[in-house]
Amino acid sequence: MRLTICWLYARTMNIYGDRGNVLALVERCRRRGIETEVVEIGVGEPLEPGRCDLFFWGGGQDREQIAAAEDLQGTKGEVLRAEIERGVPLLAVCGGYQLLGRFYRPHEGPELPGLGVFDAWTVAGSRRMIGNVVVDSPDFGELVGFENHSGRTFLGPGARPLGTVRIGYGNNGKDRTEGCRYRNAIGTYLHGPVLPKNPQLADHLIACALALHGWVGSLEPLDDALARVAHEEAVERARVERPTLRRFWPLTRR
Ligand code: GLN
């Protein structure tokens, strides 16, 4: 079996270790004898229907988001939306996540249109939300990552969050939601990179991609001892560094 991982805006939206998510996906496939091809799809480059088995879209500053938002107006955005509707798994982190909502309103300049995959919208806030985050997800258990964003994302009535913030800010520092899910697309503020420290999330994306090729069953377990150490270390760091957020504090209280 061979999977094509399409890395959206790899050269321009890839901050706070996000490239590590692609490396984790490739390695977890390799250890199971699944071949992978990583295809970078940047601004101005075509997105062909049916080519990708999995999408990754990392974070980026407002400047790069403007270019990506523009690039997705028209056919390319329609193809990406249709692929997500087809069930192609996608992981989008922070800036990528924001542009899959209805819109992202940065500090300056015009509002950026999103693809509307997630029933969510984002408005830049006055302060950045930075630090290690611990999230309780009903589907993936305890997740840990690193957040660095000024955008506050709010979910519409139809949106399903990835999880609930235990430590940190998450979507907006007020309603304790983190991330958003739609079909097999996952948006999150968890940089880090998120997948090496949360192998269950990586395996979920790989299984969804394999299912597109008619595969059913469970993935062969891997030795995740190192991943568990990294995960626990990050959770401990979050506990120590963000005591004031141990009991969730809305942003307004700080
Ligand atoms: N520019 C966006 C924000 O600050 C996204 C940043 C990011 O991708 N880390 O919220």
Side-chain angles (χ1 to χ4, degrees):
M1 180 73 79
R2 180 185 171 88
L3 293 178
T4 300
I5 298 171
C6 289
W7 188 357
L8 299 170
Y9 309 108
R11 308 280 162 159
T12 55
M13 292 186 71
N14 166 29
I15 53 181
Y16 312 131
D18 287 342
R19 85 170 34 247
N21 293 307
V22 176
L23 300 180
L25 290 166
V26 169
E27 179 59 14
R28 296 188 74 80
C29 284
R30 185 193 66 80
R31 292 187 195 178
R32 292 173 169 122
I34 302 166
E35 280 185 57
T36 53
E37 177 196 8
V38 178
V39 175
E40 296 183 5
I41 300 178
V43 172
E45 294 174 335
L47 173 56
E48 294 153 42
R51 180 170 188 200
C52 304
D53 299 309
L54 200 163
F55 290 103
F56 175 67
W57 186 357
Q61 301 311 342
D62 291 7
R63 187 180 56 251
E64 288 86 1
Q65 288 180 282
I66 293 167
E70 205 169 287
D71 188 53
L72 284 175
Q73 296 310 300
T75 311
K76 191 165 174 179
E78 284 158 21
V79 170
L80 180 56
R81 197 188 288 109
E83 291 293 83
I84 291 167
E85 284 301 330
R86 180 166 75 89
V88 178
L90 170 144
L91 175 68
V93 180
C94 203
Y97 165 32
Q98 294 171 341
L99 292 180
L100 287 171
R102 296 188 219 154
F103 64 82
Y104 168 50
R105 191 176 298 146
H107 281 291
E108 291 155 17
E111 188 173 277
L112 305 181
L115 275 192
V117 167
F118 298 127
D119 177 15
W121 61 96
T122 301
V123 179
S126 56
R127 55 187 299 172
R128 294 195 75 78
M129 294 175 272
I130 301 174
N132 283 295
V133 189
V134 180
V135 174
D136 293 309
S137 164
D139 304 302
F140 303 109
E142 180 183 81
L143 299 171
V144 69
F146 180 83
E147 63 183 330
N148 184 336
H149 56 107
S150 72
R152 283 154 174 66
T153 296
F154 299 91
L155 303 184
R160 179 161 60 118
L162 173 60
T164 303
V165 174
R166 190 191 320 161
I167 298 177
Y169 294 110
N171 279 333
N172 52 53
K174 292 186 186 308
D175 65 12
R176 296 192 66 190
T177 63
E178 200 299 313
C180 192
R181 296 191 66 186
Y182 174 71
R183 295 181 68 77
N184 290 328
I186 295 174
T188 179
Y189 275 110
L190 300 184
H191 289 284
V194 63
L195 294 183
K197 291 196 277 282
N198 303 282
Q200 70 278 29
L201 200 51
D203 286 352
H204 169 76
L205 294 165
I206 293 168
C208 291
L210 291 171
L212 292 172
H213 295 272
W215 175 88
V216 286
S218 311
L219 285 176
E220 172 204 343
L222 298 177
D223 174 2
D224 283 332
L226 204 52
R228 271 195 301 278
V229 169
H231 179 103
E232 286 310 323
E233 170 60 28
V235 171
E236 187 51 26
R237 213 175 294 168
R239 279 197 199 105
V240 169
E241 81 178 13
R242 304 181 102 178
T244 50
L245 288 172
R246 190 183 305 280
R247 290 188 327 285
F248 181 80
W249 288 76
L251 261 185
T252 46
R253 297 275 293 274
R254 287 170 55 76

